[in-house]
Amino acid sequence: MRWSLDVLYTSFDSEEFQKDNEKIISSIEHIRSWTEENLRTYENSKEKLEYYIRFKNELGDLMVKVRGYSALSLSVDVKNEKALKALESLENISTMLAEPETKFKRWLLNMPNLEETIQSSSYLKEHEFFIKETVKEAMHLLSEKEETIIAKMKNTGSEAWAKLHDLLTSTLLVDININGEEKKLPLSVVRNMAYDKDPYIRKTAYFAELNSYKKIEDASAACLNGIKGEVITVTELRKYSSPLEMTLQRSRMDFETLEAMLEAIEEYLPEFRRYLKEKARLLGHKDGLPFYDLFAPVGKLDKKFTFDEAKEFIVENFNSFSEDLAQFAKKAFENSWIDAEPREGKRGGAFCYNLHPIKQSRILANFDGSFSNVLTLAHELGHGYHGHLLANETLINSRYPMPIAETASIFNEHIIVNSALKTASKEEKLSIIENSLQRSTQTIVDIYSRFLFEDEVIKRRKDHSLSVEELKQIMIEAQKKTYGDGLDQNYLHPYMWINKPHYYDADLNYYNFPYAFGELFVKGLIYKYNQEGKKFVEEYKNLLSQTGKKNLYDLGKIVGFDLHSKDFWRKSLDVIKEEIDQFISLI
């Protein structure tokens, strides 16, 4: 249940790690002098453009290895000083790229006959989308000096705040009394108790979790204010209308798509509340579902999975969709790509880190044997499979935007759920469908609450730093607006802003709507798969393999979706409505 990173490096003191760090430094020094000498004119512009993109791919691969080894080592041991030092060193070195990057973007922005130049080279045509996206980004550039200052200040600004928040939550021990026994448990362990079948454990863990945040609420508020303050300043300097506009551009998503999706979600919120109230009634609650029972298990699927059983279950069900997907998952399990054991000092949650240069991934999870955790493993393997389908692209063409990043992972969850339903008893179906609705409620309703929270925080942060009480109040109001009477208003989660790490990354503003996009985009793909059967598999793989080279609207067109149409999103939400109807029928 622990991963191996030896294929990257055997240690931070190894000769290979030291050499690659030295190579990164010398490469950056080289490109700084090269851009200074070569990007003053447009003579031999095709050759210069090819050279720079090749360099960017090669250096990027090297940095992915070094950063990956450092970040992955730190994620399972937040007090690993060597990992932290290596990561900070790389971040400092990376700031030296700000100047040549800015030079390149300005040079590209003003290049005469750019279209003609691209079409004259097969390598440039291969990177046409990247080139044109870079031109759009260049329109918001500051001066070279300003870009360099911002890159350096981030290291002691937002990056430092983010590290502090990660340290606070990773090392936070929760005081909890279980059946008269006082314990101090890692936050990730207590959070997993929300899935426990014992209502006493769920409720006790909920109050213990909320109470534990008081230890770090002031520091976390300072982190959030520092990061969002920097974001607002940089956004204004770059002449974006808002951080949301900047995020949408980076996400390759337009306002029309976001608005159509959010408006459709608002229309369907009563359906989710119908599910929540019915679950509340089933569990004996009269005033809606208390937050501590959001993840309460329903039905008779009490089976706990060992890690090996989870592997067999996932691989077998993936195989019902695609042998290629099943083989990928099997390889990840058998080659120590997954770190699934919860332990003190390891960060909570789950993620997948794609290591493009070595055509592998690493997956972090905190596995407790529940069906929900099996779905989490399947989810993260989806990210890995997405990277697998992009392995033969260059690094630049393997980078896809946040909203499409969740597509393969959520699709994997649906494969597991749909496969399991085929052989399930009535009581097992109830449990499986309810688990699916739990996930959909999180990725639609809870995500929308987080979007509203972050939007309001950014608006207010322009005027003042927000207090702990103000942040709690905004979160509660966002939950009331989205969950409505589906939740018991006396038992919400005012500290969700501390729990979710996405708020604390200055480069991942509004890292919430991508989950809703991914969920609903997948519902459309599932509908299409049900109509087309096995012939859809190649179409699906083709879609994922092009995610680094198209915007979201054009990706939708590959599979016949009009993302500007509210009707598309309504049809996707109808799939969830049908599940809600099934759930209510079963109980």
Side-chain angles (χ1 to χ4, degrees):
M1 292 178 70
R2 297 194 182 191
W3 58 32
S4 170
L5 303 179
D6 288 350
V7 69
L8 290 170
Y9 305 101
T10 54
S11 74
F12 287 100
D13 298 318
S14 68
E15 184 179 351
E16 293 83 0
F17 186 81
Q18 298 300 323
K19 280 184 176 179
D20 281 353
N21 270 281
E22 291 168 6
K23 189 175 180 180
I24 288 172
I25 295 171
S26 63
S27 295
I28 292 175
E29 289 173 348
H30 162 72
I31 203 63
R32 282 167 62 88
S33 61
W34 184 89
T35 51
E36 180 66 32
E37 294 171 11
N38 289 275
L39 300 187
R40 295 180 178 182
T41 71
Y42 291 98
E43 185 180 355
N44 300 319
S45 57
K46 182 185 80 170
E47 289 75 14
K48 291 175 182 177
L49 185 52
E50 287 177 336
Y51 182 87
Y52 189 88
I53 293 175
R54 282 197 173 91
F55 171 85
K56 189 175 178 68
N57 277 318
E58 290 168 6
L59 177 62
D61 277 340
L62 192 59
M63 293 179 78
V64 165
K65 286 182 64 181
V66 172
R67 182 181 286 113
Y69 183 72
S70 304
L72 291 169
S73 297
L74 191 63
S75 69
V76 293
D77 179 10
V78 295
K79 293 183 179 180
N80 187 326
E81 293 182 3
K82 287 185 177 181
L84 182 61
K85 183 179 178 181
L87 203 56
E88 289 179 341
S89 175
L90 184 61
E91 287 167 356
N92 286 328
I93 293 167
S94 298
T95 63
M96 297 168 61
L97 282 169
E99 186 178 331
E101 275 280 288
T102 304
K103 278 187 171 71
F104 169 72
K105 289 174 183 176
R106 287 194 183 283
W107 179 79
L108 186 62
L109 178 64
N110 297 302
M111 180 185 288
N113 305 316
L114 177 59
E115 185 65 36
E116 185 180 320
T117 302
I118 294 171
Q119 298 307 316
S120 69
S121 162
S122 59
Y123 189 73
L124 296 181
K125 280 194 285 187
E126 182 186 351
H127 293 86
E128 182 174 2
F129 182 79
F130 163 75
I131 293 168
K132 291 183 176 178
E133 287 294 296
T134 302
V135 170
K136 287 182 189 176
E137 187 181 340
M139 294 176 182
H140 295 279
L141 275 177
L142 303 175
S143 70
E144 292 168 18
K145 184 177 181 181
E146 287 170 322
E147 291 290 346
T148 302
I149 290 172
I150 288 174
K152 289 182 177 180
M153 291 296 288
K154 277 172 67 70
N155 285 340
T156 51
S158 59
E159 297 282 356
W161 286 119
K163 283 175 191 162
L164 174 58
H165 175 260
D166 192 35
L167 181 66
L168 289 169
T169 54
S170 296
T171 59
L172 178 64
L173 292 178
V174 179
D175 297 306
I176 187 168
N177 185 307
I178 300 178
N179 297 320
E181 184 180 356
E182 295 288 345
K183 295 184 177 183
K184 289 182 179 291
L185 299 175
L187 179 60
S188 61
V189 173
V190 175
R191 288 277 299 167
N192 272 334
M193 290 179 181
Y195 300 93
D196 199 282
K197 64 181 179 181
D198 186 342
Y200 164 79
I201 296 292
R202 296 195 301 270
K203 190 172 183 178
T204 300
Y206 165 79
F207 284 110
E209 179 197 348
L210 293 189
N211 193 53
S212 73
Y213 290 130
K214 294 176 183 177
K215 303 175 187 177
I216 61 172
E217 62 180 5
D218 290 320
S220 295
C223 293
L224 189 59
N225 277 298
I227 290 166
K228 294 308 179 191
E230 178 183 293
V231 167
I232 291 166
T233 299
V234 173
T235 300
E236 291 175 348
L237 286 171
R238 296 194 187 285
K239 307 299 183 187
Y240 287 103
S241 62
S242 67
L244 181 57
E245 184 198 2
M246 181 173 68
T247 297
L248 284 169
Q249 182 173 310
R250 291 178 178 178
S251 300
R252 305 174 194 168
M253 184 172 177
D254 52 34
F255 275 106
E256 290 86 350
T257 297
L258 180 64
E259 287 173 351
M261 182 181 74
L262 294 182
E263 286 174 11
I265 286 173
E266 286 228 23
E267 287 180 12
Y268 277 72
L269 288 176
E271 295 297 332
F272 289 95
R273 293 166 188 165
R274 186 164 63 98
Y275 148 67
L276 292 167
K277 286 188 283 189
E278 200 66 28
K279 181 174 181 178
R281 185 186 66 78
L282 185 65
L283 296 174
H285 303 295
K286 295 180 180 179
D287 300 314
L289 194 65
F291 206 96
Y292 57 77
D293 272 349
L294 261 177
F295 307 106
V298 170
K300 295 289 185 179
L301 193 64
D302 293 329
K303 176 176 170 59
K304 281 283 186 177
F305 293 78
T306 65
F307 194 58
D308 284 339
E309 288 169 342
K311 168 197 165 185
E312 291 174 11
F313 186 72
I314 288 170
V315 172
E316 179 183 349
N317 285 316
F318 281 0
N319 198 55
S320 69
F321 173 73
S322 160
E323 184 180 348
D324 182 50
L325 174 60
Q327 288 302 313
F328 170 81
K330 185 178 180 182
K331 187 175 183 179
F333 278 108
E334 293 181 352
N335 288 274
S336 301
W337 292 8
I338 303 172
D339 195 301
E341 178 193 50
R343 56 190 182 273
E344 187 176 344
K346 177 181 175 180
R347 61 160 287 179
F351 67 77
C352 174
Y353 201 114
N354 283 327
L355 299 164
H356 183 269
I358 60 171
K359 299 185 178 183
Q360 294 184 17
S361 303
R362 289 298 181 271
I363 290 167
L364 179 140
N366 284 275
F367 185 73
D368 67 356
S370 67
F371 182 69
S372 176
N373 274 202
V374 173
L375 283 177
T376 297
L377 282 174
H379 179 103
E380 300 306 336
L381 284 164
H383 289 301
Y385 183 64
H386 195 166
H388 166 71
L389 292 175
L390 290 162
N392 292 325
E393 296 283 354
T394 62
L395 181 66
I396 284 173
N397 285 341
S398 72
R399 290 172 171 167
Y400 44 82
M402 290 189 295
I404 209 71
E406 297 303 318
T407 301
S409 53
I410 299 173
F411 195 92
N412 271 10
E413 291 183 41
H414 285 283
I415 293 171
I416 294 293
V417 168
N418 289 338
S419 296
L421 283 172
K422 291 176 182 177
T423 57
S425 67
K426 182 178 178 181
E427 291 178 341
E428 288 172 336
K429 283 181 180 178
L430 176 61
S431 181
I432 293 168
I433 290 172
E434 203 282 321
N435 266 292
S436 177
L437 288 173
Q438 275 187 37
R439 308 285 288 197
S440 293
T441 302
Q442 286 298 294
T443 52
I444 305 298
V445 185
D446 199 69
I447 284 298
Y448 189 30
S449 75
R450 294 186 226 169
F451 175 87
L452 294 175
F453 168 82
E454 186 164 8
D455 205 42
E456 185 64 23
V457 166
I458 288 173
K459 287 175 184 174
R460 297 194 195 188
R461 184 63 185 88
K462 292 178 182 178
D463 299 320
H464 62 277
S465 292
L466 286 76
S467 67
V468 168
E469 289 306 311
E470 194 172 1
L471 290 167
K472 288 163 65 178
Q473 176 259 327
I474 295 171
M475 182 57 79
I476 290 294
E477 288 304 312
Q479 289 171 359
K480 286 181 177 179
K481 183 172 181 180
T482 52
Y483 284 101
D485 61 358
L487 287 189
D488 187 330
Q489 305 291 291
N490 295 310
Y491 299 99
L492 300 175
H493 198 308
Y495 286 109
M496 191 59 73
W497 54 275
I498 294 181
N499 176 257
K500 298 301 176 184
H502 302 135
Y503 293 130
Y504 298 84
D505 190 323
D507 294 321
L508 291 179
N509 300 286
Y510 292 96
Y511 194 74
N512 31 59
F513 68 77
Y515 286 92
F517 180 100
E519 173 80 12
L520 296 177
F521 192 75
V522 164
K523 294 299 185 187
L525 292 173
I526 289 289
Y527 175 81
K528 193 173 179 64
Y529 172 50
N530 290 338
Q531 297 296 309
E532 297 181 358
K534 283 292 183 180
K535 75 172 187 177
F536 169 78
V537 175
E538 289 306 314
E539 191 176 2
Y540 173 72
K541 290 167 67 175
N542 179 44
L543 168 74
L544 293 178
S545 69
Q546 295 194 51
T547 49
K549 298 184 286 189
K550 289 184 183 293
N551 63 45
L552 296 183
Y553 186 75
D554 289 339
L555 282 171
K557 288 197 291 187
I558 290 175
V559 285
F561 298 160
D562 180 3
L563 303 184
H564 290 169
S565 170
K566 210 184 299 185
D567 284 339
F568 164 73
W569 302 105
R570 286 171 177 150
K571 287 176 182 176
S572 292
L573 285 156
D574 275 339
V575 177
I576 301 174
K577 180 179 179 295
E578 289 176 8
E579 281 193 323
I580 294 171
D581 291 338
Q582 279 183 283
F583 172 73
I584 293 174
S585 176
L586 283 167
I587 65 172

